[in-house]
Amino acid sequence: MAAPILSPSLLASDHAHLAAGARMAADLGLAWLHLDIMDGHFVPNLSFGPESVAALRRHGIPLFFDTHLMLSEPHRYVEAFARAGSNLISIHIEPDYDHAATLARIRELGCECGIVLNPDTPASAIEPLLAQVDLVLVMTVQPGFGGQPFRSDMLPKLRQIDAWRRERNLGFRLEVDGGIDLATAAECRAAGADTFVAGTSFFKADDPAAFAAAMANL
Ligand code: DX5
Ligand code: ZN
């Protein structure tokens, strides 16, 4: 099983000091940073855009930018995020656009690509795309806001996707996002997840270093 990766979600950091939040993660020796991009349409909230991502790069943030596009029309924006410095761009399966072509375009732009599914979306919806992705992101809350409770009814979905990964000998990472703390991360790990987004439990922790160290030993 792949070593666990913690991807702290900058959404839960101080938005007037995004670079400081990202720097804290880098200084703790973490490799990934989760960037939640919201359009106020696919999800009922707004966050930040490609200019913020580019500014983080200009400030010398060296992290692997794990970019989660919660957009109704992600195909219109993948190029902007690739140019801004994203390393991985994940797109949702729910909106109606050409998913396969958009994943291929993300690769063409030099990034890794991921497919995301909401809690109400069955695993079968992404099954045909599994061979084409570097990451599958299973939402463990309804996307749009940080700080929501973990949905343990997503564990069977994780097990199913992990089973397909083994059967087909595929190498994608399996990421979870929403309500992740040490306890829920351990449940997800046991169900096959290897990549863990954490907003509140990292940025609002009394001791983010201790949290990161514990996550590394999941
Ligand atoms: C939810 C976002 C998450 C969010 C997670 O819409 O996709 O990445 O930041 O926040 P926590 O960890 O607080 O549930
Ligand atoms: Zn996210």
Side-chain angles (χ1 to χ4, degrees):
M1 191 186 252
I5 289 177
L6 171 60
S7 191
S9 170
L10 205 57
L11 189 68
S13 74
D14 178 348
H15 285 219
H17 300 280
L18 292 175
R23 177 67 60 196
M24 177 178 82
D27 288 348
L28 290 175
L30 297 176
W32 283 39
L33 185 70
H34 187 79
L35 298 166
D36 284 306
I37 312 299
M38 304 180 181
D39 66 355
H41 187 254
F42 178 65
V43 290
N45 196 6
L46 297 158
S47 56
F48 32 74
E51 184 48 36
S52 306
V53 177
L56 291 169
R57 281 287 182 234
R58 281 199 299 275
H59 281 261
I61 302 301
L63 296 163
F64 182 89
F65 285 175
D66 164 26
T67 313
H68 174 194
L69 300 186
M70 285 163 273
L71 309 177
S72 294
E73 299 186 299
H75 52 291
R76 294 180 55 197
Y77 298 97
V78 292
E79 187 163 345
F81 284 98
R83 283 185 198 286
S86 290
N87 299 99
L88 181 150
I89 300 177
S90 296
I91 56 174
H92 273 259
I93 190 71
E94 293 83 10
D96 183 21
Y97 61 97
D98 190 336
H99 306 97
T102 306
L103 292 166
R105 178 74 185 129
I106 293 169
R107 282 260 177 86
E108 246 174 50
L109 290 163
C111 297
E112 296 186 21
C113 64
I115 193 77
V116 194
L117 63 175
N118 278 341
D120 292 339
T121 304
S124 57
I126 59 150
E127 190 188 355
L129 296 171
L130 290 179
Q132 220 191 308
V133 298
D134 300 293
L135 176 138
V136 173
L137 170 50
V138 172
M139 291 308 301
T140 45
V141 298
Q142 186 63 28
F145 300 91
Q148 304 181 72
F150 175 76
R151 298 237 335 226
S152 55
D153 55 329
M154 295 300 104
L155 293 170
K157 193 189 286 186
L158 287 172
R159 286 187 208 105
Q160 171 67 77
I161 295 168
D162 184 45
W164 284 331
R165 177 168 59 176
R166 288 165 200 274
E167 283 161 19
R168 299 171 197 187
N169 210 13
L170 296 171
F172 59 82
R173 297 199 70 92
L174 182 51
E175 183 175 55
V176 284
D177 182 5
I180 298 299
D181 57 20
L182 285 177
T184 57
E187 289 180 65
C188 292
R189 180 87 171 136
D194 48 51
T195 307
F196 303 87
V197 177
T200 307
S201 54
F202 179 78
F203 281 105
K204 302 215 178 358
D206 291 335
D207 188 350
F211 176 76
M215 288 292 291
N217 289 318
L218 265 187

